[in-house]
Amino acid sequence: MTAAVQTIDAKALKAALHDGSEIALFDARDEVPYHERHLLMAACAPLSRMELIIDASVPRRSTRVVWCDDGEGVAQRAAQRMAALGYTNVSVLAGGIASWEAAGYRIYTGVHVPSKAFAEVVEHEAHTPWIDARQLKALMDEKADFVLFDSRSFEEFHENSIPSAVSVPGAELVYRFADLVPSPNTTVVVNCGGRTRSIIGAQSLINAGVPNKVVSLKNGTQDWHLYGYQVLKGSTARTSTVSAAGAAAARAAADRVAKRFGIQRIDQATLAKWQAESSERTVYVFDVRSPEEYRAGHIAGMKHVPGGQLVQETDRHAAVWGARVVLVDDDGVRAVMTAHWMKQMGWDAVAMTVDMSSVGRATGAWTPRVLGLDETTPTVDAAALRKRMESGGISVVDVDWSRDYRIGHIPGAWYGLRARLDVILPQLPAADTVVFTSADGSLARLAAADARSKTSRSVLALEGGTSAWRAAGYPLEQGETRMACPPDDIRLRAREQTVNVEEAMRAYLSWEIDLANQMATDDDQRFDILAR
């Protein structure tokens, strides 16, 4: 029997966020409307993708969960669906975001606001030093003794970077520092696309006690762009294996950080005990090493999130406030450095180091457990779909990320969001069989199951999704063709805008900087910065 969905008013939700018990707050809308206005503590968990997100986000089925929206009705649908999946304490914010605002509580714009606001508060409290793009260019022109480390993911770095920069994602900075910077006289500049990972990366090195002068690049690659300097595309400059001496120096630095910031280190027996108690308290376990290391060998079931990315977008991975967070590595460095930031963000975070060479037997990338898949949903394989498309009478609907759709989709396919089938289906030829596709086919199967209750025509899912089509060597089409609804799933970054790019960059950077002022008067944030 499905548990009933309750309602909670704004005043009661405010109290719940401060009562010390676990709570997860979700916004059921897609990222574009979420970006425009939302609650600070609400994680974006779109109705269209909920079953792909929710198991990892809320592993304990009795967790107190509240859903909200801005009057669109998707919060109620998400809450009912979550209850049907076995969650027993699910509520909806009565009156939505408007009721929160009417009660006098603050509304925010942007995405991953807690993480981005945290970095701004860190810079303010710790007085993290910085230079701007003009000053960095002067260092280059003077051929000064400096290094430039880009602390974003390698994929972001590869997409756009500053000349001479080396990719060193956030949690790797302290771990790889001794090998990369052998001289204490070398100035170290840390950058990202904007501000967050520049600040956190630079302050990580400072907190670790490196002897060098360390600064963040104010406003990152966007500042570099705004000054009119060259931005590279396709750079592959990255680090190599850490030496024994470099690893020892990094462990010594991490030990200093653990002592100063009070980071608890646990063993596998303690983790096993906590996991045995997971019906009473949520425990997140994240492997924070590099993607390459994780794919080569990890503990089965342990989710992978590189440490720098976890700090950058914590709400995407840890939604239950009050949960335990265990950060795992095999070197004694990256877990501690990640934990020391998570703890200051307000999480009960600890570090654990294991010998992955002996226990990390699982290989490959992490894949989420998808809830609610109907094994009876009819499917079609890629070869059969291609043959049937040649004969006509088929409408293919791609329900995965719009960014991936633009890059390459099945020729003739429509794009649409799963939560908007009522808008999508009437646009398709009435006589056509409808075939849903997504990256690996999971979201397609969920969409097909939804559609079967909304139409009398034949509905199928592509087995293995667009990946299977691509693996078969079949052609792909590019661009925003046949958009059955607006691509509200992803808010385009400033550099991805087609017009007024510089204006968008300036607006974004101003928004980030102002977050520190907003945090000064918001009692929902849980930051506790230990300034140097």
Side-chain angles (χ1 to χ4, degrees), residues 13 25 34 37-42 68 93 97 100 107-108:
L13 174 57
L25 175 60
Y34 170 87
R37 47 187 275 116
H38 61 83
L39 278 61
L40 172 65
M41 306 293 278
C68 63
L93 175 60
I97 294 173
W100 181 265
I107 300 297
Y108 288 83

Side-chain angles (χ1 to χ4, degrees), residues 90-114:
V90 184
S91 300
V92 175
L93 175 60
I97 294 173
S99 70
W100 181 265
E101 191 172 32
Y105 307 139
R106 182 171 288 156
I107 300 297
Y108 288 83
T109 62
V111 297
H112 308 311
V113 177

